[in-house]
Amino acid sequence: MGKIKNRWIALYVENEVGVLAKVSGLFSAKSYNLQSLTVGTTEHEDISRMTICVSSDDITFEQIKKQLNTMVEVIKVMDLTDVPIHMKEILFAKIKDITPEEQTKVFHIIEVFAASGGHIRAIDIGEKDMILESALTERRNNELAALLRKTFKRIDIVRGGAVAIEAISTSCR
């Protein structure tokens, strides 16, 4: 068996009721380790694009792609694993019961992550609570979540799946 690693697939599918259930059902029926699945409509209202991350070895990944290609609702399967792409994941963090000094720490964290090319901002601020919105890579969101957990006592973190698009230049990932 080969090395297990995260692999990325983009699917163009018919935008119909039940397609998401069929695709996700394929993964659960075969006990594939689905890491992330994000779906949204494209520039064509009748077509959706799914971005899927699966943790698998080479042989299993080839089986997944073949099985997806046999589904009637699937228009196109694209392997993004080794392709230059732009990818971001959304993360919301609610930091609760913070002091004014801790609020200053939050803004410093925002500055540091934004300075490294990240899209992060405070989107809601109350007397003792703040909500951050972060659109970073999965790795950077992992780092942000770890730092917030370490720095603050009461936080809620909500994450969405990643979305990706093929790069125009070859210098991206």
Side-chain angles (χ1 to χ4, degrees):
M1 195 188 293
K3 180 182 176 190
I4 296 195
K5 67 177 188 176
N6 283 349
R7 297 152 198 279
W8 294 91
I9 303 170
L11 301 179
Y12 284 98
V13 297
E14 295 174 4
N15 188 7
E16 296 177 354
V17 173
V19 174
L20 175 60
K22 283 184 179 181
V23 170
S24 62
L26 169 96
F27 286 87
S28 64
K30 302 288 185 178
S31 297
Y32 297 144
N33 193 6
L34 187 62
Q35 298 294 323
S36 172
L37 188 152
T38 306
V39 62
T41 56
T42 65
E43 65 279 7
H44 304 287
E45 290 181 16
D46 57 339
I47 297 174
S48 291
R49 180 171 164 142
M50 294 183 179
T51 304
I52 300 171
C53 178
V54 62
S55 183
S56 73
D57 60 43
D58 291 336
I59 294 169
T60 303
F61 189 58
E62 289 305 316
Q63 290 173 341
I64 291 169
K65 291 189 296 185
K66 285 178 186 174
Q67 289 167 343
L68 288 169
N69 268 313
T70 64
M71 296 178 74
V72 174
E73 300 85 0
V74 174
I75 298 164
K76 185 176 182 180
V77 177
M78 299 176 339
D79 181 353
L80 302 179
T81 304
D82 297 317
V83 174
I85 57 174
H86 294 278
M87 182 181 300
K88 297 289 187 239
E89 173 196 73
I90 189 83
L91 175 146
F92 290 105
K94 183 185 287 184
I95 306 161
K96 300 182 274 188
D97 296 326
I98 56 174
T99 65
E101 293 79 21
E102 289 174 319
Q103 195 175 69
T104 301
K105 281 184 187 178
V106 173
F107 283 112
H108 180 69
I109 290 169
I110 290 171
E111 284 179 34
V112 169
F113 277 83
S116 64
H119 301 283
I120 180 172
R121 63 189 180 133
I123 60 167
D124 199 359
I125 301 173
E127 253 183 67
K128 294 185 176 191
D129 303 329
M130 291 179 73
I131 297 177
L132 305 184
E133 175 187 74
S134 170
L136 300 168
T137 63
E138 179 186 16
R139 180 182 64 80
R140 291 296 282 161
N141 273 341
N142 287 342
E143 293 167 356
L144 174 63
L147 179 60
L148 293 174
R149 282 187 196 103
K150 180 180 171 185
T151 308
F152 304 101
K153 291 178 180 68
R154 297 196 55 221
I155 64 168
D156 294 332
I157 293 181
V158 179
R159 294 173 84 159
V163 293
I165 192 164
E166 304 79 12
I168 295 168
S169 64
T170 58
S171 62
C172 297
R173 183 63 194 165

